[in-house]
Amino acid sequence: MTIGAGPRGPGVLVIEPMGNAGRFLVEAADRLGLRLYAATHEEVHDAYPVRLRSALAGVCATDLTDTPRALADMEAFCRRHDLAGVAACFELFTPLAALLAERVGLPGNDPLLARAARNKVLMGEAFAAAGIPAPRWAVARDAAEAHRVARTGGLGWPLVVKPAEQGGSWGVSVVDGPGGDALARAVAAARRFTHARPHGLELDTTALLQEYVPGTEYSCDTVVAGGVAHPLPVVRKDTTEGRYRIETGHTCPSGLDGELAGIVQHTAARAALAVGVRNGIAHTELKIPPGTRTPYVIETGARLPGDNLCEVVEAATGVSEAAAYLQAVLGRVPDTAATAADAASIRFLLPERGGVLRRASIPEAPGTHGELHLRPGDTVPEPADSACRIGHVVARAATAERARDLAAGVVARSLVEVG
């Protein structure tokens, strides 16, 4: 089924543009004069925001959880509309995008490696094969196996427990030690995701036990075109402490010295290539242990970043990650050179507990803008992952410290009342 019509120009099929990065792809496509199409489920398309629906040149309605059917539907769609590129905006469908690109002869990622960018068990194996510094890890399919691994696997404490397939910090927790039932509860939380919403895609319910790496966390995105990596700026990440490590904000530039930032970029690029990114983008998360200059790759995904990081990076450097990604899947050289040397930071409004949102407001302040994700009457999840966020504030300034302080100050003055 095809819906809509759009401007003339090369066309790109985006496998599920729903989500945080979708609007940045829409803006980038408009800037580059591209036709943007979506492949999605009909009922998911019906729930798209009006702005996204109106920006699409057409829609291939299929069942993305049925790989043979989806590939057949999308191949026919690509050929009918003479499309020039295939992209994925939804992490779990990045292997499907690689298969489709190969099938229709368009630039794409290595389909033999692409699943490693979705499944963290395969990812760990890919990192080990490529010699990339990463935490040690093991798998567990139940609490008993997790306790055996914790006793004999040499991973130490604390332990990070996470789902093999999931994102947004969902199901991720840190277990401090072997006492009590904390490890059993963490494994149960990691394994509770059997299908991904809203498409119903079946997930690997294996739990991953990962060595805890101390230190500050960073992210670094890499655009790859024709197998050549083009590093993007390093971004500093801040998270909560304790059992759940929810992202509280991101700041660009990162504050690292030039040499260390270059090491982070190089390591992130190696991680992207290790999971088969050849024509696309990868979002890589890393930590640097105190007193060292060795970044450890926590994980990577063959997709644009979430958390409005596209906005943060562009505000600080002038680089549009979404435009560079679209250029890569079209076989073009991506524009990744910085045209600005400013700073930007985003901070999220988090609740102290779950419940029902009674009131929420973000004050105005020069150099900042805010957005509420939830409205009064909406359910506020318990603060265990990024789903609990109530809103965010973005600040732009001359320095990273100033941007971070501006955004944090507005968040501190914001009103959040949960009943």
Side-chain angles (χ1 to χ4, degrees), residues 223-239:
V223 181
V224 183
V228 177
H230 300 260
L232 293 169
V234 181
V235 177
R236 173 173 169 162
K237 177 194 290 191
D238 294 302
T239 69

mmCIF file of all heavy atoms in Angstrom, residues 223-239:
data_model
loop_
_atom_site.group_PDB
_atom_site.id
_atom_site.type_symbol
_atom_site.label_atom_id
_atom_site.label_comp_id
_atom_site.label_asym_id
_atom_site.label_seq_id
_atom_site.Cartn_x
_atom_site.Cartn_y
_atom_site.Cartn_z
ATOM 1 N N VAL A 223 29.758 8.132 11.065
ATOM 2 C CA VAL A 223 29.154 7.922 9.759
ATOM 3 C C VAL A 223 30.148 7.136 8.923
ATOM 4 O O VAL A 223 31.339 7.459 8.892
ATOM 5 C CB VAL A 223 28.811 9.258 9.068
ATOM 6 C CG1 VAL A 223 28.169 9.004 7.711
ATOM 7 C CG2 VAL A 223 27.883 10.083 9.933
ATOM 8 N N VAL A 224 29.655 6.084 8.278
ATOM 9 C CA VAL A 224 30.513 5.261 7.421
ATOM 10 C C VAL A 224 29.952 5.308 6.006
ATOM 11 O O VAL A 224 28.759 5.084 5.793
ATOM 12 C CB VAL A 224 30.585 3.805 7.918
ATOM 13 C CG1 VAL A 224 31.548 2.997 7.051
ATOM 14 C CG2 VAL A 224 31.022 3.755 9.381
ATOM 15 N N ALA A 225 30.808 5.618 5.044
ATOM 16 C CA ALA A 225 30.400 5.681 3.635
ATOM 17 C C ALA A 225 31.418 4.912 2.810
ATOM 18 O O ALA A 225 32.607 5.223 2.846
ATOM 19 C CB ALA A 225 30.311 7.132 3.166
ATOM 20 N N GLY A 226 30.955 3.881 2.107
ATOM 21 C CA GLY A 226 31.865 3.067 1.318
ATOM 22 C C GLY A 226 32.928 2.393 2.154
ATOM 23 O O GLY A 226 34.050 2.174 1.679
ATOM 24 N N GLY A 227 32.599 2.087 3.403
ATOM 25 C CA GLY A 227 33.545 1.431 4.299
ATOM 26 C C GLY A 227 34.532 2.368 4.960
ATOM 27 O O GLY A 227 35.389 1.917 5.731
ATOM 28 N N VAL A 228 34.436 3.661 4.683
ATOM 29 C CA VAL A 228 35.343 4.658 5.274
ATOM 30 C C VAL A 228 34.627 5.359 6.422
ATOM 31 O O VAL A 228 33.518 5.893 6.245
ATOM 32 C CB VAL A 228 35.796 5.688 4.228
ATOM 33 C CG1 VAL A 228 36.685 6.752 4.869
ATOM 34 C CG2 VAL A 228 36.532 4.993 3.086
ATOM 35 N N ALA A 229 35.246 5.363 7.594
ATOM 36 C CA ALA A 229 34.636 5.946 8.787
ATOM 37 C C ALA A 229 34.898 7.447 8.861
ATOM 38 O O ALA A 229 36.020 7.907 8.646
ATOM 39 C CB ALA A 229 35.180 5.268 10.034
ATOM 40 N N HIS A 230 33.837 8.189 9.183
ATOM 41 C CA HIS A 230 33.912 9.635 9.367
ATOM 42 C C HIS A 230 33.441 9.932 10.792
ATOM 43 O O HIS A 230 32.238 9.971 11.059
ATOM 44 C CB HIS A 230 33.026 10.356 8.348
ATOM 45 C CG HIS A 230 33.384 10.085 6.927
ATOM 46 N ND1 HIS A 230 34.122 10.965 6.171
ATOM 47 C CD2 HIS A 230 33.108 9.029 6.116
ATOM 48 C CE1 HIS A 230 34.285 10.468 4.951
ATOM 49 N NE2 HIS A 230 33.674 9.294 4.898
ATOM 50 N N PRO A 231 34.370 10.145 11.733
ATOM 51 C CA PRO A 231 33.984 10.336 13.136
ATOM 52 C C PRO A 231 33.242 11.652 13.360
ATOM 53 O O PRO A 231 33.545 12.677 12.729
ATOM 54 C CB PRO A 231 35.314 10.335 13.886
ATOM 55 C CG PRO A 231 36.307 9.737 12.937
ATOM 56 C CD PRO A 231 35.831 10.106 11.571
ATOM 57 N N LEU A 232 32.296 11.620 14.255
ATOM 58 C CA LEU A 232 31.559 12.799 14.682
ATOM 59 C C LEU A 232 32.025 13.187 16.089
ATOM 60 O O LEU A 232 32.792 12.458 16.715
ATOM 61 C CB LEU A 232 30.061 12.507 14.636
ATOM 62 C CG LEU A 232 29.517 12.286 13.212
ATOM 63 C CD1 LEU A 232 28.105 11.735 13.247
ATOM 64 C CD2 LEU A 232 29.571 13.568 12.403
ATOM 65 N N PRO A 233 31.583 14.334 16.620
ATOM 66 C CA PRO A 233 32.097 14.790 17.910
ATOM 67 C C PRO A 233 31.775 13.841 19.064
ATOM 68 O O PRO A 233 30.764 13.139 19.056
ATOM 69 C CB PRO A 233 31.391 16.140 18.103
ATOM 70 C CG PRO A 233 30.995 16.571 16.738
ATOM 71 C CD PRO A 233 30.694 15.319 15.992
ATOM 72 N N VAL A 234 32.643 13.860 20.064
ATOM 73 C CA VAL A 234 32.421 13.099 21.291
ATOM 74 C C VAL A 234 31.492 13.905 22.195
ATOM 75 O O VAL A 234 31.618 15.127 22.328
ATOM 76 C CB VAL A 234 33.745 12.818 22.015
ATOM 77 C CG1 VAL A 234 33.507 11.995 23.281
ATOM 78 C CG2 VAL A 234 34.717 12.091 21.082
ATOM 79 N N VAL A 235 30.551 13.210 22.817
ATOM 80 C CA VAL A 235 29.557 13.826 23.691
ATOM 81 C C VAL A 235 29.671 13.211 25.082
ATOM 82 O O VAL A 235 29.811 11.992 25.215
ATOM 83 C CB VAL A 235 28.130 13.604 23.141
ATOM 84 C CG1 VAL A 235 27.079 14.173 24.090
ATOM 85 C CG2 VAL A 235 27.999 14.227 21.756
ATOM 86 N N ARG A 236 29.618 14.039 26.093
ATOM 87 C CA ARG A 236 29.639 13.529 27.471
ATOM 88 C C ARG A 236 28.224 13.172 27.904
ATOM 89 O O ARG A 236 27.272 13.910 27.638
ATOM 90 C CB ARG A 236 30.213 14.566 28.426
ATOM 91 C CG ARG A 236 30.094 14.138 29.895
ATOM 92 C CD ARG A 236 30.795 15.058 30.839
ATOM 93 N NE ARG A 236 30.429 14.740 32.215
ATOM 94 C CZ ARG A 236 31.121 15.122 33.289
ATOM 95 N NH1 ARG A 236 32.226 15.823 33.120
ATOM 96 N NH2 ARG A 236 30.718 14.801 34.496
ATOM 97 N N LYS A 237 28.113 12.039 28.592
ATOM 98 C CA LYS A 237 26.815 11.585 29.087
ATOM 99 C C LYS A 237 26.803 11.618 30.612
ATOM 100 O O LYS A 237 27.788 11.268 31.262
ATOM 101 C CB LYS A 237 26.535 10.152 28.612
ATOM 102 C CG LYS A 237 25.243 9.569 29.144
ATOM 103 C CD LYS A 237 25.147 8.069 28.944
ATOM 104 C CE LYS A 237 24.979 7.694 27.505
ATOM 105 N NZ LYS A 237 24.631 6.254 27.346
ATOM 106 N N ASP A 238 25.678 12.036 31.179
ATOM 107 C CA ASP A 238 25.477 11.984 32.626
ATOM 108 C C ASP A 238 24.310 11.052 32.928
ATOM 109 O O ASP A 238 23.311 11.031 32.188
ATOM 110 C CB ASP A 238 25.177 13.375 33.188
ATOM 111 C CG ASP A 238 26.369 14.310 33.047
ATOM 112 O OD1 ASP A 238 27.445 13.972 33.578
ATOM 113 O OD2 ASP A 238 26.230 15.361 32.404
ATOM 114 N N THR A 239 24.439 10.288 34.009
ATOM 115 C CA THR A 239 23.392 9.338 34.385
ATOM 116 C C THR A 239 23.118 9.418 35.879
ATOM 117 O O THR A 239 23.889 9.996 36.648
ATOM 118 C CB THR A 239 23.791 7.886 34.044
ATOM 119 O OG1 THR A 239 24.858 7.477 34.917
ATOM 120 C CG2 THR A 239 24.245 7.764 32.606
#
